[in-house]
Amino acid sequence: MPDRVRAGVVGASGYIGGELLRLLLGHPHVEVAVATSARLAGRPVDAAHPNLRGFTDLTLVAPDALEPVDVLFTAAPHTETMARMPEFLGLAEQVVDLSADFRLRDPAVFARYYGEPHAAPGLLGGFACGLPELHRKELADADRVSVPGCMATAAILALAPAAAAGLIGPDVVVDARTGSSGSGATAGPANTHAERSGALRVFAPAGHRHEAEIAQATGLDVRMTATGVEAVRGVQVVCHAKLAGGAGERDLWRAYRERYAGEPFVRLVARRRGPHRLPDPKILAGSNLCDVGFAVDGRGGATLVAALDNLVKGGAGGAVQSLNVRRGWPERTGLAFPGLHPA
């Protein structure tokens, strides 16, 4: 397998596209060959991403100017990618999709959560899940990858060890909080500063789309709510479950330590004192880390918590980590930034 690959980014003017460019431009085994944008074609990359000034002289091109590459990252809006996927598969030996279009295996579930039929249902079963912590074996030879949603990634990593070990009951409530960047670079009036500043907006009181991804990955019966908070970056999920079979705190520690031992980007955070006793996305900004922690209430309940940067581990970082797995490169390659404190 070549030690260097040519990469393309579809939807490069969005926030996820910008994070992909930032990470790939610093990756020792990647050359960014092409980046597309429907709204900023002909403009330099730094017109959309001023943090990349001086790091690239790449110009954004129209979507129909996409050229063949070794690996193609698709970060177009949800429901736009599925119709073009046959074209994308013909342009690259590996496609890593960051939209929601190929995350769900059942087209009926997709239609229920996204409000329209899937345009390429025959392709759904061919995508490996871009979450190396649970799917590293499949990713090792996967040429089609679908990266989970940001809140889904956090919730799956929070719940998977306890669910797999049978330590919690099947009914789980996921309470998710997300920063404004999760709405994308072209978000509407509800995300202007005047409307978002100081707000705690419950924008999905029930049935958030990531609910289906979490249920699919964990086998649990998931109910999910989502709240927009004032932060720009970051996701935190607080998952409420009932302990099963007399399980307690020691059992949880054992399950999580065994499941995440040696994982380069998952840290267990469950301390009894200090300002960061449980996972907090503030200290994870810019990193590919996901912090996971838990607490038990003495009445048979467990609160399972996870936090991450929605644009990195919840998006572009997960995609690059999946690329590293597929190419046999160390998973930390291009992803070693530890986050900031204070921020």
Side-chain angles (χ1 to χ4, degrees), residues 98-134:
L98 290 97
S99 79
D101 293 8
F102 294 91
R103 294 170 182 167
L104 298 172
R105 294 188 293 267
D106 187 337
V109 175
F110 178 89
R112 184 163 73 248
Y113 277 90
Y114 287 89
E116 63 181 88
H118 201 282
L123 295 177
L124 286 175
F127 281 75
C129 179
L131 189 61
E133 290 78 9
L134 272 64

mmCIF file of all heavy atoms in Angstrom, residues 98-134:
data_model
loop_
_atom_site.group_PDB
_atom_site.id
_atom_site.type_symbol
_atom_site.label_atom_id
_atom_site.label_comp_id
_atom_site.label_asym_id
_atom_site.label_seq_id
_atom_site.Cartn_x
_atom_site.Cartn_y
_atom_site.Cartn_z
ATOM 1 N N LEU A 98 -19.075 11.655 5.497
ATOM 2 C CA LEU A 98 -19.374 12.264 6.788
ATOM 3 C C LEU A 98 -20.805 12.779 6.876
ATOM 4 O O LEU A 98 -21.182 13.403 7.865
ATOM 5 C CB LEU A 98 -18.391 13.402 7.087
ATOM 6 C CG LEU A 98 -16.966 12.925 7.374
ATOM 7 C CD1 LEU A 98 -16.102 13.023 6.136
ATOM 8 C CD2 LEU A 98 -16.345 13.698 8.524
ATOM 9 N N SER A 99 -21.610 12.551 5.859
ATOM 10 C CA SER A 99 -23.024 12.882 5.953
ATOM 11 C C SER A 99 -23.748 11.753 6.675
ATOM 12 O O SER A 99 -23.149 10.737 7.026
ATOM 13 C CB SER A 99 -23.625 13.075 4.553
ATOM 14 O OG SER A 99 -23.901 11.813 3.955
ATOM 15 N N ALA A 100 -25.056 11.928 6.854
ATOM 16 C CA ALA A 100 -25.846 10.885 7.524
ATOM 17 C C ALA A 100 -26.334 9.811 6.561
ATOM 18 O O ALA A 100 -26.966 8.841 6.984
ATOM 19 C CB ALA A 100 -27.047 11.529 8.209
ATOM 20 N N ASP A 101 -26.016 9.945 5.267
ATOM 21 C CA ASP A 101 -26.719 9.170 4.255
ATOM 22 C C ASP A 101 -26.455 7.674 4.278
ATOM 23 O O ASP A 101 -27.268 6.888 3.775
ATOM 24 C CB ASP A 101 -26.392 9.723 2.867
ATOM 25 C CG ASP A 101 -26.964 11.119 2.653
ATOM 26 O OD1 ASP A 101 -27.483 11.709 3.624
ATOM 27 O OD2 ASP A 101 -26.884 11.619 1.517
ATOM 28 N N PHE A 102 -25.321 7.247 4.835
ATOM 29 C CA PHE A 102 -24.998 5.820 4.817
ATOM 30 C C PHE A 102 -24.702 5.281 6.216
ATOM 31 O O PHE A 102 -24.047 4.247 6.365
ATOM 32 C CB PHE A 102 -23.834 5.567 3.854
ATOM 33 C CG PHE A 102 -24.208 5.850 2.427
ATOM 34 C CD1 PHE A 102 -24.004 7.111 1.895
ATOM 35 C CD2 PHE A 102 -24.816 4.887 1.651
ATOM 36 C CE1 PHE A 102 -24.389 7.398 0.587
ATOM 37 C CE2 PHE A 102 -25.202 5.157 0.347
ATOM 38 C CZ PHE A 102 -24.990 6.418 -0.187
ATOM 39 N N ARG A 103 -25.218 5.949 7.232
ATOM 40 C CA ARG A 103 -25.008 5.505 8.608
ATOM 41 C C ARG A 103 -25.983 4.411 9.025
ATOM 42 O O ARG A 103 -25.652 3.562 9.855
ATOM 43 C CB ARG A 103 -25.153 6.695 9.565
ATOM 44 C CG ARG A 103 -24.075 7.753 9.408
ATOM 45 C CD ARG A 103 -24.424 8.992 10.218
ATOM 46 N NE ARG A 103 -23.432 10.047 10.042
ATOM 47 C CZ ARG A 103 -23.612 11.308 10.421
ATOM 48 N NH1 ARG A 103 -24.747 11.658 11.012
ATOM 49 N NH2 ARG A 103 -22.678 12.201 10.216
ATOM 50 N N LEU A 104 -27.189 4.450 8.503
ATOM 51 C CA LEU A 104 -28.230 3.512 8.915
ATOM 52 C C LEU A 104 -28.353 2.395 7.893
ATOM 53 O O LEU A 104 -28.391 2.637 6.686
ATOM 54 C CB LEU A 104 -29.565 4.240 9.071
ATOM 55 C CG LEU A 104 -29.569 5.342 10.136
ATOM 56 C CD1 LEU A 104 -30.876 6.131 10.086
ATOM 57 C CD2 LEU A 104 -29.359 4.759 11.527
ATOM 58 N N ARG A 105 -28.442 1.159 8.368
ATOM 59 C CA ARG A 105 -28.482 0.018 7.468
ATOM 60 C C ARG A 105 -29.867 -0.230 6.869
ATOM 61 O O ARG A 105 -29.992 -0.799 5.793
ATOM 62 C CB ARG A 105 -27.993 -1.238 8.195
ATOM 63 C CG ARG A 105 -26.526 -1.189 8.590
ATOM 64 C CD ARG A 105 -26.059 -2.526 9.126
ATOM 65 N NE ARG A 105 -26.695 -2.868 10.388
ATOM 66 C CZ ARG A 105 -26.175 -2.589 11.583
ATOM 67 N NH1 ARG A 105 -25.010 -1.963 11.654
ATOM 68 N NH2 ARG A 105 -26.799 -2.940 12.692
ATOM 69 N N ASP A 106 -30.902 0.178 7.578
ATOM 70 C CA ASP A 106 -32.281 -0.101 7.165
ATOM 71 C C ASP A 106 -32.861 1.123 6.453
ATOM 72 O O ASP A 106 -33.009 2.185 7.066
ATOM 73 C CB ASP A 106 -33.117 -0.444 8.396
ATOM 74 C CG ASP A 106 -34.525 -0.909 8.058
ATOM 75 O OD1 ASP A 106 -35.020 -0.572 6.964
ATOM 76 O OD2 ASP A 106 -35.144 -1.595 8.890
ATOM 77 N N PRO A 107 -33.214 1.018 5.162
ATOM 78 C CA PRO A 107 -33.756 2.177 4.461
ATOM 79 C C PRO A 107 -35.064 2.688 5.049
ATOM 80 O O PRO A 107 -35.368 3.880 4.948
ATOM 81 C CB PRO A 107 -33.946 1.676 3.021
ATOM 82 C CG PRO A 107 -33.941 0.188 3.109
ATOM 83 C CD PRO A 107 -33.075 -0.152 4.282
ATOM 84 N N ALA A 108 -35.852 1.810 5.667
ATOM 85 C CA ALA A 108 -37.104 2.248 6.282
ATOM 86 C C ALA A 108 -36.816 3.133 7.495
ATOM 87 O O ALA A 108 -37.519 4.134 7.729
ATOM 88 C CB ALA A 108 -37.947 1.042 6.690
ATOM 89 N N VAL A 109 -35.788 2.784 8.272
ATOM 90 C CA VAL A 109 -35.402 3.617 9.412
ATOM 91 C C VAL A 109 -34.863 4.958 8.919
ATOM 92 O O VAL A 109 -35.173 6.017 9.474
ATOM 93 C CB VAL A 109 -34.362 2.886 10.281
ATOM 94 C CG1 VAL A 109 -33.872 3.800 11.409
ATOM 95 C CG2 VAL A 109 -34.962 1.618 10.860
ATOM 96 N N PHE A 110 -34.076 4.927 7.851
ATOM 97 C CA PHE A 110 -33.579 6.179 7.276
ATOM 98 C C PHE A 110 -34.746 7.085 6.876
ATOM 99 O O PHE A 110 -34.761 8.280 7.201
ATOM 100 C CB PHE A 110 -32.693 5.898 6.057
ATOM 101 C CG PHE A 110 -32.197 7.142 5.387
ATOM 102 C CD1 PHE A 110 -31.016 7.737 5.784
ATOM 103 C CD2 PHE A 110 -32.937 7.745 4.373
ATOM 104 C CE1 PHE A 110 -30.574 8.910 5.186
ATOM 105 C CE2 PHE A 110 -32.510 8.908 3.758
ATOM 106 C CZ PHE A 110 -31.315 9.494 4.169
ATOM 107 N N ALA A 111 -35.725 6.539 6.168
ATOM 108 C CA ALA A 111 -36.860 7.344 5.717
ATOM 109 C C ALA A 111 -37.635 7.919 6.889
ATOM 110 O O ALA A 111 -38.100 9.072 6.842
ATOM 111 C CB ALA A 111 -37.773 6.485 4.831
ATOM 112 N N ARG A 112 -37.755 7.149 7.964
ATOM 113 C CA ARG A 112 -38.499 7.631 9.126
ATOM 114 C C ARG A 112 -37.803 8.810 9.795
ATOM 115 O O ARG A 112 -38.443 9.778 10.202
ATOM 116 C CB ARG A 112 -38.692 6.488 10.127
ATOM 117 C CG ARG A 112 -39.546 6.896 11.331
ATOM 118 C CD ARG A 112 -40.062 5.684 12.079
ATOM 119 N NE ARG A 112 -39.033 5.005 12.849
ATOM 120 C CZ ARG A 112 -38.564 3.802 12.577
ATOM 121 N NH1 ARG A 112 -39.006 3.143 11.505
ATOM 122 N NH2 ARG A 112 -37.639 3.249 13.338
ATOM 123 N N TYR A 113 -36.474 8.762 9.889
ATOM 124 C CA TYR A 113 -35.749 9.806 10.601
ATOM 125 C C TYR A 113 -35.361 10.996 9.709
ATOM 126 O O TYR A 113 -35.146 12.097 10.223
ATOM 127 C CB TYR A 113 -34.494 9.228 11.259
ATOM 128 C CG TYR A 113 -34.781 8.571 12.592
ATOM 129 C CD1 TYR A 113 -35.099 7.220 12.667
ATOM 130 C CD2 TYR A 113 -34.762 9.309 13.775
ATOM 131 C CE1 TYR A 113 -35.378 6.614 13.887
ATOM 132 C CE2 TYR A 113 -35.038 8.718 14.993
ATOM 133 C CZ TYR A 113 -35.347 7.370 15.046
ATOM 134 O OH TYR A 113 -35.630 6.774 16.260
ATOM 135 N N TYR A 114 -35.266 10.777 8.395
ATOM 136 C CA TYR A 114 -34.818 11.857 7.503
ATOM 137 C C TYR A 114 -35.901 12.351 6.557
ATOM 138 O O TYR A 114 -35.671 13.276 5.780
ATOM 139 C CB TYR A 114 -33.566 11.421 6.736
ATOM 140 C CG TYR A 114 -32.370 11.395 7.655
ATOM 141 C CD1 TYR A 114 -32.063 10.232 8.366
ATOM 142 C CD2 TYR A 114 -31.603 12.526 7.884
ATOM 143 C CE1 TYR A 114 -31.005 10.201 9.259
ATOM 144 C CE2 TYR A 114 -30.549 12.499 8.774
ATOM 145 C CZ TYR A 114 -30.251 11.332 9.457
ATOM 146 O OH TYR A 114 -29.209 11.312 10.361
ATOM 147 N N GLY A 115 -37.091 11.741 6.628
ATOM 148 C CA GLY A 115 -38.247 12.302 5.940
ATOM 149 C C GLY A 115 -38.309 12.095 4.445
ATOM 150 O O GLY A 115 -39.120 12.729 3.767
ATOM 151 N N GLU A 116 -37.469 11.225 3.889
ATOM 152 C CA GLU A 116 -37.521 10.922 2.468
ATOM 153 C C GLU A 116 -36.897 9.554 2.221
ATOM 154 O O GLU A 116 -36.066 9.096 3.014
ATOM 155 C CB GLU A 116 -36.806 11.983 1.642
ATOM 156 C CG GLU A 116 -35.329 12.128 1.906
ATOM 157 C CD GLU A 116 -34.714 13.223 1.048
ATOM 158 O OE1 GLU A 116 -34.719 14.386 1.493
ATOM 159 O OE2 GLU A 116 -34.235 12.901 -0.068
ATOM 160 N N PRO A 117 -37.275 8.904 1.126
ATOM 161 C CA PRO A 117 -36.708 7.579 0.849
ATOM 162 C C PRO A 117 -35.232 7.689 0.481
ATOM 163 O O PRO A 117 -34.778 8.705 -0.053
ATOM 164 C CB PRO A 117 -37.538 7.076 -0.330
ATOM 165 C CG PRO A 117 -38.090 8.310 -0.961
ATOM 166 C CD PRO A 117 -38.300 9.299 0.144
ATOM 167 N N HIS A 118 -34.499 6.628 0.760
ATOM 168 C CA HIS A 118 -33.084 6.623 0.423
ATOM 169 C C HIS A 118 -32.902 6.460 -1.074
ATOM 170 O O HIS A 118 -33.556 5.634 -1.709
ATOM 171 C CB HIS A 118 -32.361 5.499 1.173
ATOM 172 C CG HIS A 118 -30.896 5.723 1.283
ATOM 173 N ND1 HIS A 118 -30.037 5.487 0.227
ATOM 174 C CD2 HIS A 118 -30.129 6.185 2.307
ATOM 175 C CE1 HIS A 118 -28.806 5.785 0.604
ATOM 176 N NE2 HIS A 118 -28.831 6.214 1.861
ATOM 177 N N ALA A 119 -32.001 7.258 -1.659
ATOM 178 C CA ALA A 119 -31.803 7.251 -3.111
ATOM 179 C C ALA A 119 -30.936 6.093 -3.593
ATOM 180 O O ALA A 119 -30.932 5.788 -4.785
ATOM 181 C CB ALA A 119 -31.176 8.575 -3.546
ATOM 182 N N ALA A 120 -30.202 5.453 -2.682
ATOM 183 C CA ALA A 120 -29.324 4.341 -3.071
ATOM 184 C C ALA A 120 -29.364 3.255 -2.012
ATOM 185 O O ALA A 120 -28.338 2.914 -1.415
ATOM 186 C CB ALA A 120 -27.901 4.848 -3.278
ATOM 187 N N PRO A 121 -30.527 2.666 -1.760
ATOM 188 C CA PRO A 121 -30.641 1.691 -0.671
ATOM 189 C C PRO A 121 -29.754 0.473 -0.849
ATOM 190 O O PRO A 121 -29.335 -0.141 0.130
ATOM 191 C CB PRO A 121 -32.127 1.312 -0.684
ATOM 192 C CG PRO A 121 -32.603 1.647 -2.066
ATOM 193 C CD PRO A 121 -31.809 2.851 -2.470
ATOM 194 N N GLY A 122 -29.432 0.130 -2.103
ATOM 195 C CA GLY A 122 -28.585 -1.024 -2.341
ATOM 196 C C GLY A 122 -27.162 -0.854 -1.863
ATOM 197 O O GLY A 122 -26.425 -1.841 -1.737
ATOM 198 N N LEU A 123 -26.753 0.386 -1.571
ATOM 199 C CA LEU A 123 -25.393 0.641 -1.110
ATOM 200 C C LEU A 123 -25.267 0.651 0.410
ATOM 201 O O LEU A 123 -24.154 0.659 0.934
ATOM 202 C CB LEU A 123 -24.900 1.994 -1.660
ATOM 203 C CG LEU A 123 -24.744 2.111 -3.176
ATOM 204 C CD1 LEU A 123 -24.311 3.531 -3.541
ATOM 205 C CD2 LEU A 123 -23.740 1.097 -3.695
ATOM 206 N N LEU A 124 -26.393 0.667 1.120
ATOM 207 C CA LEU A 124 -26.351 0.874 2.571
ATOM 208 C C LEU A 124 -25.527 -0.186 3.297
ATOM 209 O O LEU A 124 -24.796 0.133 4.238
ATOM 210 C CB LEU A 124 -27.774 0.903 3.141
ATOM 211 C CG LEU A 124 -28.578 2.174 2.850
ATOM 212 C CD1 LEU A 124 -30.010 2.027 3.361
ATOM 213 C CD2 LEU A 124 -27.917 3.385 3.479
ATOM 214 N N GLY A 125 -25.625 -1.422 2.893
ATOM 215 C CA GLY A 125 -24.930 -2.489 3.606
ATOM 216 C C GLY A 125 -23.443 -2.553 3.325
ATOM 217 O O GLY A 125 -22.731 -3.329 3.970
ATOM 218 N N GLY A 126 -22.949 -1.717 2.411
ATOM 219 C CA GLY A 126 -21.556 -1.805 2.023
ATOM 220 C C GLY A 126 -20.619 -0.850 2.713
ATOM 221 O O GLY A 126 -19.423 -0.813 2.393
ATOM 222 N N PHE A 127 -21.129 -0.080 3.667
ATOM 223 C CA PHE A 127 -20.309 0.915 4.353
ATOM 224 C C PHE A 127 -19.953 0.444 5.758
ATOM 225 O O PHE A 127 -20.831 0.077 6.542
ATOM 226 C CB PHE A 127 -21.039 2.261 4.439
ATOM 227 C CG PHE A 127 -20.984 3.048 3.164
ATOM 228 C CD1 PHE A 127 -21.766 2.693 2.076
ATOM 229 C CD2 PHE A 127 -20.132 4.133 3.042
ATOM 230 C CE1 PHE A 127 -21.711 3.402 0.883
ATOM 231 C CE2 PHE A 127 -20.069 4.860 1.863
ATOM 232 C CZ PHE A 127 -20.858 4.495 0.783
ATOM 233 N N ALA A 128 -18.664 0.443 6.068
ATOM 234 C CA ALA A 128 -18.223 0.159 7.438
ATOM 235 C C ALA A 128 -18.421 1.400 8.290
ATOM 236 O O ALA A 128 -18.318 2.533 7.802
ATOM 237 C CB ALA A 128 -16.754 -0.248 7.443
ATOM 238 N N CYS A 129 -18.688 1.202 9.558
ATOM 239 C CA CYS A 129 -18.886 2.322 10.488
ATOM 240 C C CYS A 129 -17.537 2.914 10.878
ATOM 241 O O CYS A 129 -16.658 2.209 11.377
ATOM 242 C CB CYS A 129 -19.622 1.839 11.731
ATOM 243 S SG CYS A 129 -19.881 3.139 12.966
ATOM 244 N N GLY A 130 -17.385 4.225 10.655
ATOM 245 C CA GLY A 130 -16.125 4.907 10.930
ATOM 246 C C GLY A 130 -15.924 5.242 12.390
ATOM 247 O O GLY A 130 -15.671 6.404 12.740
ATOM 248 N N LEU A 131 -16.015 4.232 13.235
ATOM 249 C CA LEU A 131 -15.765 4.371 14.658
ATOM 250 C C LEU A 131 -14.775 3.271 15.046
ATOM 251 O O LEU A 131 -15.165 2.166 15.418
ATOM 252 C CB LEU A 131 -17.073 4.232 15.446
ATOM 253 C CG LEU A 131 -17.020 4.566 16.937
ATOM 254 C CD1 LEU A 131 -16.610 6.018 17.164
ATOM 255 C CD2 LEU A 131 -18.378 4.308 17.593
ATOM 256 N N PRO A 132 -13.475 3.549 14.939
ATOM 257 C CA PRO A 132 -12.472 2.492 15.114
ATOM 258 C C PRO A 132 -12.557 1.762 16.453
ATOM 259 O O PRO A 132 -12.229 0.568 16.526
ATOM 260 C CB PRO A 132 -11.144 3.254 14.984
ATOM 261 C CG PRO A 132 -11.468 4.400 14.077
ATOM 262 C CD PRO A 132 -12.860 4.809 14.484
ATOM 263 N N GLU A 133 -12.999 2.429 17.486
ATOM 264 C CA GLU A 133 -13.056 1.789 18.801
ATOM 265 C C GLU A 133 -13.960 0.559 18.795
ATOM 266 O O GLU A 133 -13.759 -0.372 19.582
ATOM 267 C CB GLU A 133 -13.545 2.784 19.858
ATOM 268 C CG GLU A 133 -12.545 3.880 20.183
ATOM 269 C CD GLU A 133 -12.482 5.000 19.163
ATOM 270 O OE1 GLU A 133 -13.347 5.029 18.255
ATOM 271 O OE2 GLU A 133 -11.583 5.861 19.265
ATOM 272 N N LEU A 134 -14.957 0.540 17.931
ATOM 273 C CA LEU A 134 -15.876 -0.594 17.855
ATOM 274 C C LEU A 134 -15.740 -1.386 16.560
ATOM 275 O O LEU A 134 -16.188 -2.545 16.495
ATOM 276 C CB LEU A 134 -17.322 -0.112 17.998
ATOM 277 C CG LEU A 134 -17.896 -0.012 19.420
ATOM 278 C CD1 LEU A 134 -17.149 1.029 20.241
ATOM 279 C CD2 LEU A 134 -19.381 0.317 19.354
#
